[in-house]
């Protein structure tokens, strides 16, 4: 029951966030131009790098909390939270220092038409929001997720996102200085802190922090998770920063519009995935046989879901961008093959999510972290090589190529090393889904849909979704019939016999 509540709440929250997230960038582009929109999106990517100072703390905290929560050991929970807060407070002072340094340096590094003072202020308020999050809320968020109360976090996220987007829409329509908008975002982060503090004090009044007693206690596998998160952040944030440095923030804006669609869809899936992921940990702790069934169901569900959604995005991507950027003339936003590459990035990423999680709970985090570093480095190197020759296509192609290596490794590790079985079933799904994805995508490149309005877009979107869902569902049934049936039964789509 809690799993369904988490999934439904997370899904609905993400749908609302997606809807608002599509409106705000459009308003930003039309009212401030591609340069300002590119700047704000680039800063978001840059601060994802700065956030690496806390890398590993969250994941290791959550994993360490599972056992005392299951055993209802309040002293153990308090001890782990105290260790976690110790680390968070330690890195917060470094984070604040880096924020100030970036605010001073970035106005002279980024190629933007905005004044140095404006860039300084925008960077400062963006960074201070992170200071508030790391010092207080991140610690509480890990506790809620470990307890399976993702729906609480989803509700708080919804409230703060509504406030954030509301502030941005109102102020942007008034065409106030971009600094005022960023300051409004900072104020919302203070409201989020107040909501979390109220909820924790009301429901977890028994939590006591004792930082001195845990001075020499370490979080398990923290260093491995640190390396993995650093590598993943570098990998996922490379593209926009390189575009802003090698080309312009305007071209970065083009990338951000396409990425907006795919990151939102991925976020939609991730809201369901993160709300259910604790089921994998529980199953693994009981027995490998039980875990294997749950693993296969998760893999089939999210591989199929990613393939369906990304195929729809590939078919409708250019039409959406054309409608979305209508009236924007300061740069070209239409790249016919870009949706296919963006969709491929997401499919390859989701194909390894479940195996990647298994590698962590089975104790292979340290090995996988080294593979993640190789992946991140290869993405940077390939991007630098391909971007000058191929522009946006080169940047995205570099990401696609880099993803393949880790996908192959995790598929082998999860199936052969940990589950002691053949990789044939997983490889069959990956290859078949990619073949079907390319067939659908290129068919509509050859004969694109004639979409002239958002009404037509919605209509064609529904038809495309139904067609693509049927195609991949049939493929899933024939590729893994037993898992398909058990998955249908688990999600409640098949009536129980009376």
């Amino acid at each position: 029951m809690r799993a369904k509540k988490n999934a439904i709440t997370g899904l609905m929250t993400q749908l609302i966030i997606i809807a608002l997230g599509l409106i705000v960038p459009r308003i930003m582009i039309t009212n401030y131009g591609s340069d300002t929109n590119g700047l704000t999106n680039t800063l978001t990517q840059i601060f994802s790098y700065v956030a690496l100072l806390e890398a590993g703390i969250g994941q290791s905290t959550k994993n360490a909390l599972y056992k005392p929560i299951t055993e209802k050991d309040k002293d153990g929970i308090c001890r782990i939270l105290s260790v976690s807060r110790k680390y968070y407070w330690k890195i917060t002072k470094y984070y604040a220092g880096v924020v100030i340094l970036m605010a001073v340096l970035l106005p002279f590094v980024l190629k933007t038409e905005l004044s140095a003072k404006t860039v300084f202020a925008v960077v400062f308020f963006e960074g201070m929001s992170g200071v508030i999050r790391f010092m207080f809320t991140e610690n509480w968020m890990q506790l809620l997720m470990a307890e399976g109360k993702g729906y609480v976090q989803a509700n708080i996220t919804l409230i703060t996102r509504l406030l954030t987007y509301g502030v941005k829409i109102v102020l942007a329509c008034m065409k106030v200085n971009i600094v005022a908008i960023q300051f409004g975002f900072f104020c919302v982060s203070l409201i989020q802190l107040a909501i979390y503090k109220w909820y924790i004090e009301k429901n977890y009044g028994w939590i006591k922090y004792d930082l001195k007693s845990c001075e020499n206690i370490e979080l398990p596998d923290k260093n491995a998770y640190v390396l993995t998160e650093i590598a993943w952040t570098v990998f996922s944030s490379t593209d926009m920063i390189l575009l802003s440095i090698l080309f312009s923030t305007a071209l970065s804006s083009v990338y951000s519009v396409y990425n907006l669609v795919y990151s939102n869809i991925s976020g939609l899936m991730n809201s369901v995935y993160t709300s259910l992921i604790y089921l994998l940990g529980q199953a693994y702790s009981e027995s490998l046989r039980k875990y294997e069934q749950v693993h296969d169901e998760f893999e089939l569900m999210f591989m199929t879901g990613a393939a369906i959604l990304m195929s729809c995005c590939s078919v409708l991507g250019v039409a959406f961008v054309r409608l979305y950027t209508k009236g924007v003339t300061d740069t070209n936003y239409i790249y016919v093959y870009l949706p296919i590459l963006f969709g491929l990035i997401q499919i390859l990423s989701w194909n390894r999510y479940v195996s990647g999680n298994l590698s962590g709970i089975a104790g292979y985090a340290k090995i996988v972290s080294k593979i993640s570093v190789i992946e991140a480095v290869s993405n940077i190197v390939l991007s630098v090589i391909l971007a000058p020759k191929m522009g946006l296509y080169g940047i995205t192609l570099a990401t696609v190529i880099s993803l393949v290596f880790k996908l192959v490794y995790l598929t082998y590790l999860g199936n052969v090393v940990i589950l002691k079985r053949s990789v044939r079933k997983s490889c069959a799904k990956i290859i078949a889904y990619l073949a079907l994805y390319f067939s659908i995508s290129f068919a509509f490149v050859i004969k694109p849909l004639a979409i002239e309005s958002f009404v037509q877009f919605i209509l064609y979107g529904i038809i495309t979704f139904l067609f693509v869902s049927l195609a991949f569902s049939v493929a899933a049934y024939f590729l893994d019939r037993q898992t398909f049936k058990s998955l249908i039964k688990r999600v409640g789509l098949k009536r129980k016999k009376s």
Side-chain angles (χ1 to χ4, degrees):
M1 185 63 186
R2 177 174 286 184
K4 288 186 177 180
K5 187 176 182 179
N6 282 341
I8 293 171
T9 305
L11 187 62
M12 295 305 297
T13 297
Q14 195 63 33
L15 282 171
I16 295 172
I17 291 173
I18 287 175
L20 291 171
L22 291 173
I23 295 171
V24 172
R26 165 70 184 177
I27 294 174
M28 293 294 291
I29 293 172
T30 55
N31 284 281
Y32 294 95
S34 296
D35 183 50
T36 300
N37 183 60
L39 171 68
T40 56
N41 282 283
T42 299
L43 290 180
T44 299
Q45 295 296 319
I46 289 173
F47 274 102
S48 67
Y49 277 113
V50 182
L52 291 174
L53 287 169
E54 68 88 37
I57 301 175
Q59 185 65 43
S60 53
T61 297
K62 185 166 58 179
N63 286 350
L65 282 170
Y66 284 130
K67 184 178 180 180
I69 286 174
T70 302
E71 298 174 352
K72 302 186 185 302
D73 178 10
K74 290 186 177 181
D75 290 336
I77 293 172
C78 290
R79 185 166 53 254
I80 292 168
L81 290 176
S82 295
V83 177
S84 175
R85 173 156 287 188
K86 177 191 69 173
Y87 281 111
Y88 275 120
W89 283 13
K90 185 177 181 179
I91 62 97
T92 299
K93 58 183 179 182
Y94 297 118
Y95 185 92
V98 172
V99 168
I100 296 173
L101 183 63
M102 297 294 282
V104 173
L105 294 178
L106 286 179
F108 306 101
V109 174
L110 299 179
K111 295 178 181 179
T112 177
E113 296 176 2
L114 296 174
S115 69
K117 290 182 179 179
T118 298
V119 176
F120 173 88
V122 171
V123 173
F124 179 78
F125 287 122
E126 173 83 20
M128 285 300 106
S129 300
V131 170
I132 298 297
R133 188 173 72 253
F134 294 141
M135 193 163 187
F136 298 105
T137 58
E138 282 289 340
N139 185 261
W140 298 329
M141 288 166 62
Q142 303 310 322
L143 171 62
L144 294 175
M145 292 302 294
E147 275 217 313
K149 292 184 178 179
Y151 60 91
V152 176
Q153 184 182 351
N155 287 332
I156 296 176
T157 299
L158 177 60
I159 293 171
T160 54
R161 287 295 183 91
L162 287 173
L163 289 172
T164 299
Y165 287 133
V167 167
K168 286 187 175 181
I169 291 171
V170 172
L171 295 181
C173 289
M174 293 171 63
K175 295 187 177 180
V176 301
N177 190 289
I178 188 67
V179 175
I181 296 178
Q182 206 62 41
F183 178 72
F185 174 67
F186 171 70
C187 292
V188 171
S189 68
L190 295 177
I191 295 173
Q192 182 186 49
L193 169 61
I195 295 173
Y196 268 112
K197 184 175 176 59
W198 170 79
Y199 183 86
I200 294 297
E201 287 181 350
K202 180 182 178 181
N203 296 276
Y204 297 92
W206 47 267
I207 293 179
K208 304 296 180 185
Y209 290 96
D210 186 3
L211 274 61
K212 290 184 179 180
S213 65
C214 61
E215 193 66 34
N216 298 318
I217 302 176
E218 296 283 336
L219 288 170
D221 290 327
K222 178 179 134 354
N223 292 334
Y225 287 119
V226 166
L227 193 56
T228 298
E229 288 192 31
I230 289 175
W232 172 247
T233 304
V234 171
F235 176 83
S236 59
S237 305
T238 296
D239 297 355
M240 286 185 63
I241 295 175
L242 283 177
L243 285 171
S244 294
I245 295 174
L246 298 176
F247 297 99
S248 66
T249 51
L251 192 59
S252 177
S253 176
V254 176
Y255 182 97
S256 72
V257 169
Y258 283 92
N259 189 54
L260 173 72
V261 177
Y262 292 90
S263 61
N264 275 327
I265 297 299
S266 181
L268 191 66
M269 291 183 60
N270 197 55
S271 65
V272 178
Y273 178 77
T274 53
S275 65
L276 300 176
I277 195 173
Y278 70 94
L279 296 174
L280 288 168
Q282 291 179 358
Y284 187 86
S285 65
E286 291 185 33
S287 69
L288 200 59
R289 170 178 279 186
K290 182 176 181 179
Y291 172 82
E292 188 172 351
Q293 180 182 349
V294 180
H295 175 99
D296 288 341
E297 290 173 358
F298 265 69
E299 185 178 75
L300 184 66
M301 177 169 63
F302 287 102
M303 285 176 65
T304 306
I308 291 171
L309 293 174
M310 294 311 140
S311 294
C312 291
C313 288
S314 181
V315 171
L316 301 165
V318 171
F320 172 81
V321 172
R322 184 177 285 112
L323 292 172
Y324 190 74
T325 58
K326 187 176 182 180
V328 180
T329 58
D330 58 355
T331 191
N332 174 42
Y333 279 86
I334 305 304
Y335 290 77
V336 176
Y337 297 102
L338 211 52
I340 298 177
L341 290 171
F342 268 101
L344 187 57
I345 289 171
Q346 293 298 331
I347 289 175
L348 293 175
S349 297
W350 277 97
N351 282 354
R352 67 191 198 181
Y353 260 48
V354 179
S355 294
N357 180 70
L358 172 60
S359 69
I361 60 179
Y364 290 86
K366 189 174 294 185
I367 299 174
V368 173
S369 65
K370 296 176 182 177
I371 303 299
S372 299
V373 172
I374 295 173
E375 179 184 58
V377 172
S378 66
N379 188 37
I380 295 175
V381 173
L382 288 172
S383 294
V384 171
I385 294 172
L386 297 176
K389 299 178 181 179
M390 302 174 65
L392 276 173
Y393 288 125
I395 287 282
T396 49
L397 182 60
T399 305
V400 170
I401 296 171
S402 300
L403 280 166
V404 174
F405 176 69
K406 190 174 178 180
L407 170 61
V408 172
Y409 178 78
L410 286 176
T411 302
Y412 172 81
L413 178 68
N415 286 282
V416 178
V417 179
I418 302 175
L419 296 179
K420 310 296 182 184
R421 66 183 189 180
S422 171
V423 298
R424 187 178 301 172
K425 186 187 293 185
S426 293
C427 288
K429 284 182 283 191
I430 292 171
I431 294 170
Y433 281 3
L434 287 176
L436 188 53
Y437 170 74
F438 281 122
S439 298
I440 294 171
S441 299
F442 283 108
F444 284 91
V445 167
I446 296 171
K447 191 173 179 59
L449 298 173
I451 299 176
E452 303 296 333
S453 67
F454 277 108
V455 174
Q456 281 186 315
F457 178 83
I458 294 172
L459 178 62
Y460 277 114
I462 294 172
I463 295 172
T464 302
F465 177 76
L466 293 175
F467 165 74
V468 172
S469 296
L470 178 62
F472 279 101
S473 295
V474 170
Y477 178 78
F478 284 106
L479 287 167
D480 196 347
R481 187 173 304 183
Q482 182 178 349
T483 303
F484 185 88
K485 290 180 178 180
S486 65
L487 180 60
I488 292 297
K489 184 177 181 181
R490 183 182 289 274
V491 298
L493 297 178
K494 185 176 182 180
R495 293 182 180 179
K496 296 179 179 180
K497 295 181 180 181
S498 56

